[in-house]
Amino acid sequence: MNGPGLDPRQLRNAFGAFMTGVTVVTSHDADGRPVGFTANSFASVSLDPPLLLVCIARSSRNYAVFTGASGFAVNVLAETQKEVSNTFARPVEDRFASVDWMTGPNGAPVFPGAAAWFDCTAERVIEAGDHAILIGRVEAFENAGLNGLGYARGGYFTAAMEAKASGAAGEGVVEAAAVAERGGAVLLVEDAAGRLGLPRCTVVEGTAPRRIVDLIQGGIGLAATVGFLFSVYQDRAAGRQHVVYRVALGEGVPARGRLFGLDRLPFDRLDTAQTADILRRYAAESALGNFGLYVGNETAGRVHPLSREA
């Protein structure tokens, strides 16, 4: 896709392929009250002088504060701090009420529990389309040595959980499936017996994401963006390993299967008890906006919240 008629939503999805960390940028308003916002558009710029950058949207309610501030801090969130990220991404009245913070050496609020923080003097503000680039000179910093919280494709991930999922999936041939959603509805396909299930295919280790994309785009006719693992489980009776991914669907009418609203799922027509369990959990976690990763077998296991260490 190219040219002046770029679809902003599709462009944002493409940008989302780049995995980033998650930060909370903080400062004080004119009345001395702490302010902050969640950002993943953060990068180091220079070691000599020590410079970093972060971007803020013009639509942010804190735009005027941060573009006019004499300084700010960037807090790199640890993998246990997903709720901190969510708090500063939402229109919460007092975002700092539930966060452990202190005043940094250069005056901006910093989070002692963060993986790292950088307290900066504002060096320069560069207008850039619908955002501004804040360049800060690092005056003080702290590195806690913790793993950072990751973000990609519209969801969080942690290094610990990705490693656990990879180990649980094992090696060899597995069955991959997709909880493929668009606008609060999931795609279910019918088998020869008229039962409904998730789009699925047999894969060899390491090929699941690409095979799922090929399955949905080629066989169902919809664009597909693969997100993070949702379930990894062993079906002991069948002697088969299963991996289930979250998938975002593009626009259009599916050539096979149909979309069912999460509040109208046809549980009486589903192909297996495992499919029903997956969809019940997906509906519940989607309502909360807080997904985890199930690791276990067909009857017992544990859902690991991605905001906590495994």
Side-chain angles (χ1 to χ4, degrees):
M1 187 176 293
N2 54 64
L6 295 176
D7 183 330
R9 181 176 178 181
Q10 294 300 324
L11 180 60
R12 182 174 183 174
N13 288 342
F15 282 150
F18 183 66
M19 292 186 284
T20 71
V22 185
T23 74
V24 171
V25 187
T26 58
S27 188
H28 290 95
D29 65 15
D31 296 322
R33 292 172 299 199
V35 293
F37 66 94
T38 299
N40 64 343
S41 53
F42 161 75
S44 60
V45 174
S46 170
L47 293 176
D48 186 16
L51 301 175
L52 56 74
L53 69 79
V54 68
C55 297
I56 183 170
R58 286 181 178 273
S59 58
S60 169
R61 65 177 183 175
N62 293 315
Y63 183 84
V65 172
F66 279 92
T67 54
S70 60
F72 60 89
V74 177
N75 297 273
V76 180
L77 298 187
E79 62 181 4
T80 57
Q81 293 182 304
K82 190 176 81 168
E83 288 309 311
V84 176
S85 172
N86 289 337
T87 295
F88 281 83
R90 296 168 181 158
V92 178
E93 187 61 32
D94 185 358
R95 292 171 166 173
F96 287 82
S98 60
V99 177
D100 182 20
W101 67 280
M102 64 183 187
T103 301
N106 199 51
V110 298
F111 301 163
W117 54 256
F118 306 90
D119 198 1
C120 306
T121 297
E123 182 85 0
R124 188 178 176 191
V125 177
I126 302 172
E127 301 293 334
D130 56 9
H131 280 65
I133 302 169
L134 309 177
I135 297 180
R137 178 183 288 262
V138 179
E139 304 291 351
F141 72 94
E142 184 173 283
N143 178 15
L146 302 173
N147 286 334
L149 178 65
Y151 192 81
R153 298 293 194 194
Y156 297 103
F157 69 93
T158 70
M161 283 312 305
E162 289 300 298
K164 177 179 283 290
S166 297
E171 299 180 356
V173 177
V174 301
E175 183 171 88
V179 182
E181 181 189 5
R182 184 181 71 207
V186 296
L187 176 69
L188 298 177
V189 295
E190 194 172 53
D191 64 15
R195 298 172 301 177
L196 296 170
L198 303 174
R200 54 171 53 94
C201 57
T202 300
V203 302
V204 177
E205 179 192 13
T207 66
R210 172 50 56 189
R211 291 279 287 114
I212 287 172
V213 169
D214 291 343
L215 170 69
I216 295 176
Q217 294 188 166
I220 296 172
L222 298 178
T225 301
V226 177
F228 292 99
L229 280 165
F230 186 65
S231 291
V232 178
Y233 69 94
Q234 182 182 21
D235 186 338
R236 295 169 297 179
R240 175 161 290 200
Q241 195 75 25
H242 296 260
V243 294
V244 182
Y245 285 83
R246 290 161 47 203
V247 174
L249 294 174
E251 298 300 321
V253 178
R256 185 165 66 91
R258 47 178 291 216
L259 293 163
F260 292 85
L262 291 174
D263 57 346
R264 297 186 300 277
L265 292 170
F267 288 105
D268 58 333
R269 292 186 58 197
L270 297 180
D271 54 0
T272 66
Q274 289 74 43
T275 298
D277 289 342
I278 288 167
L279 290 175
R280 285 193 184 94
R281 190 183 126 227
Y282 187 86
E285 294 184 3
S286 180
L288 297 173
N290 188 16
F291 292 102
L293 171 65
Y294 174 88
V295 178
N297 57 47
E298 76 280 16
T299 59
R302 177 186 169 194
V303 177
H304 300 265
L306 297 186
S307 59
R308 298 178 185 172
E309 292 185 4

